[in-house]
Structure formats: C-alpha cells, structure tokens
Amino acid sequence: MFEETINFYKLNEISNLLRYKTVKTSHEASIPHLGSCLSCVEILVYLYWIELNLDPLNCNDQDRDRFILSKGHGAPILFQVLAERGFYDKNLLKTAGKNGSLFHEHPPKPGYIPGIEAATGSLGHGLPIALGIAMAGKIKKKSFRTFALLSDGECNEGTIWESAMFASSKSLSRVTAIIDFNKWQATGRTKEIMSLEPLLEKWKSFGWHAQEINGHNFAEIKDSLDEANSVNDKPSVIIANTIKGKGVSFMEDNNNWHYKIPNEEELSMALSELTKNKK
C-alpha cells in the first residue's frame, strides 16, 4: 500500500486534479469517453494511492498486486492516474492522440506503458484475464491480490458470468472485481438495454462475496475493500454506484459524453467548475 495515512480530503484533491487533466486532455487530443472516465475516478484514486501494493519504480515486481482495467474505454483516466503516481513522466501525456503515441482510447498490451497489465477494450475480457493471473498466483502460492474494474454494460457479456462461475469454483479469494455502475451504456440506459437487476443477488448466487456502495465516497470504498480483504474462501465483488460524467455539472448523467469531446466553450466551462472545486 502506498500511504495508509493519507486523508480523504487529500484524496478528493487528487480526484479533482485528475478530472481537470482528463477533461483538458480529451479536448486537446480529441479522445472521447469522458463520461466513463469521470465516473470511476475515486475508485482508481483509492486503489492507487491507498490499496494496491505497487512500486512505480519496480512495476514488474512478481509480488505486486495486479489491476486490470476491464472497461478499457476508461484508459484516459488510468493514464493520468499512472502518470500522477510516478509510473512515467507526466509530459508523455502531451503526445496523447497523436500519431505514434501510446496514449489513445484503450490500454495497449503490456510492455509499452509502465503499469498497464493488459490490453483491454473488447468488453468482457478483463475479468477473465484477471482470473487467469489470480489462478497462476494461487498455483505458485503467491500472496498478491488481483483487482478488475468493470463497467455495468460489460456485465451483459457471457464471459463475465462464465468467469464468475470459474472464480468461485476455484475459491479465488485474492480477487476483487469492482463494477462501475453508472447506469449507462454506449447507446442508452443499462436497465433499458438489458437489465442487470438484481445485480447484487446475482453475484451472490454465483458464489461471490458481494457488497454495494457509493462509488464516489472514499469511506465506503475503504470499508468495502477492507471487508473484501477479510474474505478468505471466495472472490469478492463491489458494486459501486456512480454518476457518469461525475464532477462536471453538464456532463453528469448525460450519456452524450460517452463519445462527445468538449469544444473550447465546453472546456472552459468544465475547467472553471473543476477549478472552483479546488478551493
């Protein structure tokens, strides 16, 4: 863990800064998926500043915790997180969206960007990758933990539920899946495209330890991860209720920002809001 003594006020400051940088980069690099990025900021901040056993200067340590961004379209915020944590020079993000850059809409394969464990983007693939890593760790008697961040729409995929069965049948207790449940998919409300409810009970019925929280509340994120870490006989899932576009008023719960890129006026409005939040 990076720094257990960091307080929630500091985590909120970091979250606001990362939102600011992600919105700005979206405009400058013409990279979309802002809504999906902004909904999972607090989850990523807590993981990378508190929870994960990771050393940015030794990111290939065999005993490190693993994090898989299964919702690969959230890569722009993960890139900002990794840069802020010191996995690489922040100036590299100035190349985002340009020809030859490694920083685009989804994570590249391992070996290109420090801290990236898997290339993701085809939804439903990240959790199976995480379970493969966890299974290998169990066979090798390693103690590292594996985390996967999923989208709610991703839970439409059959591979998610095949993975859910596999993880519980193999008692992969070092696995925690977190679902960024912002209630939207690319083309509409999740409940209208393919309703997931009762989502909590579904995961429980598949043999997982399941919790439901406010995904923007650091105290709840902390408590849920602490509880997941105490479970030693089954995998854990945390359903994090979030708001798509969180932090920018005109982006919140507005699915146009799944693909939309802010123009100059929208950028100015968004950055003004986020600057006020810093005070």
Side-chain angles (χ1 to χ4, degrees), residues 9 13 16 272-279:
Y9 178 80
E13 283 189 331
N16 192 71
S272 177
E273 281 191 28
L274 292 168
T275 299
K276 289 177 182 177
N277 289 341
K278 291 180 183 179
K279 299 176 181 179

Side-chain angles (χ1 to χ4, degrees), residues 15-209:
S15 299
N16 192 71
L17 174 65
L18 292 171
R19 283 192 167 94
Y20 185 100
K21 290 185 173 183
T22 303
V23 171
K24 191 168 184 289
T25 299
S26 174
H27 169 76
E28 293 172 347
S30 296
I31 292 177
H33 301 305
L34 262 180
S36 301
C37 289
L38 298 182
S39 65
C40 62
V41 175
E42 284 79 10
I43 296 167
L44 291 175
V45 167
Y46 191 88
L47 287 172
Y48 277 90
W49 268 262
I50 299 291
E51 187 69 25
L52 296 173
N53 178 26
L54 287 173
D55 180 358
L57 301 180
N58 186 19
C59 57
N60 293 318
D61 182 351
Q62 290 301 302
D63 294 320
R64 72 190 183 279
D65 287 342
R66 272 70 166 179
F67 172 78
I68 307 295
L69 182 69
S70 194
K71 49 171 285 182
H73 52 290
I77 181 60
L78 180 59
F79 294 154
Q80 296 288 349
V81 166
L82 293 173
E84 201 66 28
R85 276 286 279 111
F87 282 82
Y88 43 80
D89 190 331
K90 297 175 188 177
N91 287 323
L92 289 175
L93 290 175
K94 293 178 181 178
T95 70
K98 296 179 181 178
N99 287 339
S101 176
L102 297 171
F103 302 98
H104 288 282
E105 291 183 43
H106 295 87
K109 66 181 182 180
Y112 286 89
I113 296 177
I116 297 295
E117 298 283 358
T120 54
S122 296
L123 296 181
H125 290 186
L127 184 58
I129 292 170
L131 298 185
I133 292 171
M135 190 68 196
K138 184 173 183 177
I139 291 169
K140 293 180 178 180
K141 302 187 185 307
K142 295 285 188 179
S143 62
F144 66 78
R145 299 166 301 160
T146 306
F147 298 82
L149 180 62
L150 288 62
S151 65
D152 49 354
E154 188 171 9
C155 293
N156 291 349
E157 303 291 345
T159 49
I160 295 298
W161 301 105
E162 182 180 354
S163 297
M165 288 190 291
F166 175 83
S168 59
S169 71
K170 301 300 180 182
S171 300
L172 295 180
S173 60
R174 305 296 289 172
V175 169
T176 299
I178 304 172
I179 301 172
D180 179 7
F181 196 11
N182 62 34
K183 317 302 187 297
W184 285 102
Q185 298 183 37
T187 57
R189 288 283 186 192
T190 302
K191 66 181 180 180
E192 294 170 357
I193 293 174
M194 189 178 290
S195 179
L196 298 173
E197 299 297 351
L199 188 56
L200 186 74
E201 297 305 319
K202 279 190 174 76
W203 283 96
K204 286 181 178 179
S205 71
F206 274 73
W208 287 57
H209 178 79

